[in-house]
Amino acid sequence: MQALAAVARAPHSEFSLETITLDGPRPGEVLVKMEAVGICHTDLAARDGALPVALPAVFGHEGCGVVEAVGEGVTKVAPGDRVGITFASCGSCAACRTGSPSYCHNFMHLNYDGVRADGSRPLSQGGDSITGLFFGQSSFATYSLALERNVVKVPADLPAELVAPIGCGVQTGAGAVMRSLACRSGSSLLVAGAGSVGLAAVMGAVVRECATIIVIEPHASRRDLALELGATHAIDPATGPVADQVRAIVGAGVDYAIDTSGIPAVIDSLVKSMTFHSKLGLIGVPANPEAALPITVIETLVLGLTVVGIIEGDSDPDEFIPELIELWRAGRFPIEKLVSTFPFTKINDAVAAQHRGEVLKPVLVHE
């Protein structure tokens, strides 16, 4: 079949709206008519060469839509079901079997290579292949070919623009607090960066009943939103050393810290803000893949520091996405405060608005 897709043809270039050919679903695959898709930093990083994805490609990995058709053997969903689409995992490796699909041993292949097990590629144009199956979905299009394992059935009455970002950014930030670090009630948490991931972490900290939630963020509007969402303090790194500002709030230092920036100097400021036997969670992808952690062995030993790398918030999507949806229904996880919607055909405008800092989480909707 044919679909309208936002195709990335060159690094650091705008997406091109083009008609492409999309295979029908093969065994284990699910064809989804898209309703909404979030734009994540990872989409742009992959376009610009930071991830091993061959161009031309169709990105998009925070999809929501309605199942159009299913391939042989699919039993999890049926045509007409509403689904959120998340990252792909194999289901058979040691990590998947023990409930940690975000550390799937086949993660790189399933989410970045765009190739089925038989070597075929599901997207093409004029006989030339286009990389698809990005995060098992490539949902910057009117239709997405996903895998049975990475679709999650969701209630039909939820706004699609709120379901979509749960698939990556929201579950990553919330999961970092609620699953990866499992922040205890009454504890203190420091979050570097009040983008959508960092603010999802703030909302997760409220759910976990953290007593002190501190956000570091240079933009005043984002600091204000962090406070609205439940942060107890929001500090501007420009007004003085971060560690000094944090210790003016929590003298002994914080129990947990999360970095969403990937910037070594920011990570260093977090370490200097932490107490003994604390935990540091790393989410942000550094601009330089070879960047080293600015943590000495002595600092780690003396603090008894635990450093945790976090992918997708350690989420098992079949469990965690429904949990976040129920928290939203209960008024305890206001995702809508993060989202700004754009027509799908205005994808380049949405990317530009995000780059200028005008929106936190742009979500493309199909009219």
Side-chain angles (χ1 to χ4, degrees), residues 6-348:
V7 180
R9 293 199 167 272
H12 306 285
S13 297
E14 291 193 341
F15 294 96
S16 174
L17 293 173
E18 303 176 20
T19 298
I20 64 169
T21 300
L22 178 70
D23 286 354
R26 294 186 182 181
E29 296 178 346
V30 179
L31 179 66
V32 181
K33 184 177 182 180
M34 299 308 302
E35 296 178 301
V37 56
I39 297 176
C40 179
H41 172 72
T42 304
D43 296 308
L44 307 181
R47 178 199 64 183
D48 296 339
L51 294 170
V53 181
L55 302 182
V58 176
F59 295 110
H61 66 286
E62 293 181 341
C64 176
V66 176
V67 175
E68 183 88 356
V70 299
E72 180 182 350
V74 173
T75 59
K76 186 179 181 181
V77 294
D81 286 344
R82 184 85 162 306
V83 294
I85 320 178
T86 184
F87 62 91
S89 58
C90 73
S92 58
C93 70
C96 287
R97 292 197 308 270
T98 54
S100 299
S102 63
Y103 304 100
C104 173
H105 295 192
N106 298 297
F107 189 95
M108 295 295 287
H109 167 66
L110 291 171
N111 290 281
Y112 299 139
D113 288 351
V115 179
R116 293 185 174 107
D118 64 2
S120 64
R121 296 179 179 269
L123 306 186
S124 63
Q125 186 185 67
D128 296 325
S129 66
I130 294 175
T131 301
L133 291 175
F134 184 65
F135 277 73
Q137 56 184 289
S138 288
S139 46
F140 283 169
T142 50
Y143 287 87
S144 169
L145 192 65
L147 309 173
E148 182 176 26
R149 272 190 61 80
N150 70 316
V151 297
V152 178
K153 188 175 178 179
V154 298
D157 63 327
L158 264 69
E161 64 269 21
L162 301 188
V163 175
I166 298 176
C168 183
V170 169
Q171 77 175 352
T172 296
V177 172
M178 299 170 68
R179 297 176 68 93
S180 308
L181 301 182
C183 299
R184 67 181 183 275
S185 176
S187 63
S188 53
L189 169 69
L190 175 61
V191 179
S196 58
V197 174
L199 292 175
V202 168
M203 292 190 284
V206 173
V207 171
R208 295 287 295 187
E209 299 180 341
C210 294
T212 306
I213 306 169
I214 307 170
V215 172
I216 309 165
E217 171 56 48
H219 294 93
S221 61
R222 295 188 178 190
R223 293 197 299 272
D224 291 343
L225 181 55
L227 294 170
E228 182 182 341
L229 291 173
T232 57
H233 303 80
I235 62 179
D236 182 353
T239 61
V242 166
D244 291 349
Q245 295 191 67
V246 171
R247 290 183 182 276
I249 300 166
V250 184
V254 295
D255 301 305
Y256 304 95
I258 292 173
D259 174 66
T260 69
S261 73
I263 300 172
V266 173
I267 297 171
D268 180 60
S269 71
L270 298 185
V271 174
K272 288 179 168 54
S273 303
M274 302 183 76
T275 190
F276 297 94
H277 222 238
S278 52
K279 292 184 178 181
L280 170 64
L282 302 178
I283 297 175
V285 177
N288 174 13
E290 303 300 320
L293 281 176
I295 303 171
T296 68
V297 173
I298 291 298
E299 280 179 312
T300 308
L301 290 173
V302 170
L303 285 175
L305 179 67
T306 299
V307 180
V308 182
I310 299 172
I311 296 293
E312 298 288 350
D314 283 72
S315 172
D316 181 340
D318 286 327
E319 297 176 359
F320 196 47
I321 288 177
E323 179 182 347
L324 292 176
I325 287 172
E326 288 309 307
L327 286 169
W328 177 80
R329 285 194 186 281
R332 301 178 62 199
F333 207 90
I335 304 169
E336 69 277 3
K337 293 185 181 296
L338 309 181
V339 169
S340 298
T341 59
F342 295 79
F344 172 68
T345 55
K346 300 296 184 181
I347 181 171
N348 292 312

